[in-house]
Amino acid sequence: MKTIRLLSVVGALAATSWFAPAAHAAQPLLTPAELSTAQQASPAAVVIDIREPKLYAQGHIPGALNAPYGKWRGPATNPGELPDTAKLTALVQSLGLTPASHAVVVSTGADATDFGAMARVYWSLKVLGLKELSIVNGGMKRWVADGKPVSTEVPKVAASNYQPTLDDSLIATRDQVRQHVDLSNAALVDSRPDAFYKGETRAPAAKLSGTLPGAQQLDFNQWFVKGTAQFVDRDTARQIAQKITRQDGQDTVAFCNTGHWAATDWFGLSEMAGLPHVKLYAGSMVDWTQQPDAPAMQNQPGRAQSLAYDAQQWWQRKFK
């Protein structure tokens, strides 16, 4: 197969299927003004506020429903794991969502990591078969800064009977990732900052440091306008996407520690740059390193360094 390096001219690639627009009518990113217009134009617009209940109660976008981020995550031992379908079905039904809904996700907008929470919920909703999806660019921070109204009224919504069918094309399982590693037949994209990618540190729930063999790094922080939590525009997203190398027709699999930062890479590559076949490895490195047999790793530190790191973590937990 011919190898394609996504470092060629943006304008030329933008006209190809590599950068085809996302297959939904709703814009992936909405400014506060655009959300206000959407709310006025259609009763199908459902704002999902994923902040903690205390922050939601202090003030939220009028009409917004509260569904804290923790409800969209897995257990503490593997927080990136996608919750079971029954749990997610009950959640989206409680929000009154149907295939006709335009679901708009909002969080604090505090920083780039907070955007990852919105991107992860967006991805989860898309996995559940919803097509009309958006994120409030800048979250509540920008909503308030733009002078938009805030409400403390908790709206009531009738539960729906929506029965999702999971879209497996958006999910990379551990077995699929293992096959990609063995066959070198996908672009594996590590969304984490240098210290994680180079094996200098790791998430507390991860058993090993390092990254997947053959993984390319695309630090999630690159997707934001410098000094802000504002996601970049489409043209800039396409430029960032060109940093990834893959063979024509292959999958791109984004991963991080627990599928949070990687959701930002997934969103940028898939929804903004328009690349096809982009998947998220939800469990990411925590899930990968919890395999019973020693998993294949790259940039793994030596035994002495690993033991020193484990001792440091134990000390911090015991005496912090």
Side-chain angles (χ1 to χ4, degrees):
M1 291 185 289
K2 182 180 179 182
T3 298
I4 295 181
R5 178 67 177 174
L6 297 181
L7 283 174
S8 49
V9 180
V10 176
L13 280 175
T16 72
S17 60
W18 279 87
F19 290 98
H24 49 68
Q27 293 298 312
L29 285 177
L30 295 179
T31 65
E34 290 168 338
L35 173 56
S36 294
T37 300
Q39 286 182 302
Q40 294 170 10
S42 173
V46 180
V47 179
I48 303 172
D49 188 324
I50 63 171
R51 297 176 300 160
E52 290 302 311
K54 181 178 180 180
L55 290 177
Y56 172 81
Q58 291 173 357
H60 50 262
I61 295 172
L65 304 172
N66 191 213
Y69 184 50
K71 293 185 175 183
W72 304 90
R73 300 286 277 168
T77 54
N78 193 354
E81 182 180 291
L82 192 68
D84 64 64
T85 305
K87 179 180 177 180
L88 289 174
T89 297
L91 181 55
V92 297
Q93 287 180 347
S94 72
L95 296 169
L97 297 175
T98 73
S101 300
H102 174 195
V104 183
V105 185
V106 66
S107 187
T108 65
D111 52 29
T113 290
D114 180 72
F115 186 94
M118 294 189 285
R120 176 62 191 247
V121 172
Y122 178 112
W123 173 81
S124 300
L125 291 169
K126 193 167 185 177
V127 165
L128 292 169
L130 298 176
K131 304 297 185 183
E132 301 297 313
L133 301 168
S134 301
I135 288 173
V136 180
N137 198 6
M140 283 301 297
K141 184 177 180 179
R142 185 171 177 188
W143 179 269
V144 172
D146 285 3
K148 296 299 180 183
V150 172
S151 173
T152 56
E153 182 179 350
V154 179
K156 295 182 179 180
V157 61
S160 74
N161 59 2
Y162 179 50
Q163 293 296 326
T165 299
L166 294 188
D167 185 350
D168 293 332
S169 70
L170 303 173
I171 303 170
T173 65
R174 182 197 290 175
D175 287 342
Q176 290 170 338
V177 171
R178 187 184 297 115
Q179 185 178 55
H180 289 321
V181 168
D182 292 343
L183 300 178
S184 299
N185 64 352
L188 304 175
V189 180
D190 191 331
S191 309
R192 301 173 300 168
D194 283 350
F196 291 95
Y197 177 72
K198 294 178 179 179
E200 297 168 354
T201 189
R202 67 175 185 263
K207 302 285 187 184
L208 300 168
S209 302
T211 189
L212 293 174
Q216 306 170 59
Q217 186 191 22
L218 187 63
D219 187 333
F220 76 100
N221 288 292
Q222 297 182 54
W223 297 101
F224 299 90
V225 177
K226 189 174 181 179
T228 77
Q230 297 287 312
F231 206 90
V232 298
D233 59 28
R234 283 191 184 275
D235 287 343
T236 306
R238 288 167 178 154
Q239 293 174 26
I240 294 170
Q242 292 172 50
K243 297 178 181 181
I244 299 302
T245 301
R246 73 173 178 181
Q247 292 183 331
D248 190 11
Q250 286 186 341
D251 287 344
T252 297
V253 179
F255 70 94
C256 57
N257 291 319
T258 63
H260 179 106
W261 289 337
T264 296
D265 270 9
W266 173 85
F267 181 84
L269 294 169
S270 173
E271 307 302 275
M272 294 298 289
L275 268 65
H277 313 304
V278 183
K279 299 184 176 184
L280 178 67
Y281 179 19
S284 289
M285 293 308 296
V286 167
D287 179 75
W288 182 257
T289 61
Q290 289 180 357
Q291 298 181 64
D293 298 325
M297 298 288 290
Q298 179 177 302
N299 297 345
Q300 190 174 0
R303 179 171 174 77
Q305 185 178 349
S306 295
L307 290 173
Y309 176 81
D310 289 340
Q312 180 187 46
Q313 292 299 104
W314 174 85
W315 183 270
Q316 290 178 347
R317 288 195 300 269
K318 188 172 182 64
F319 297 104
K320 188 172 181 179

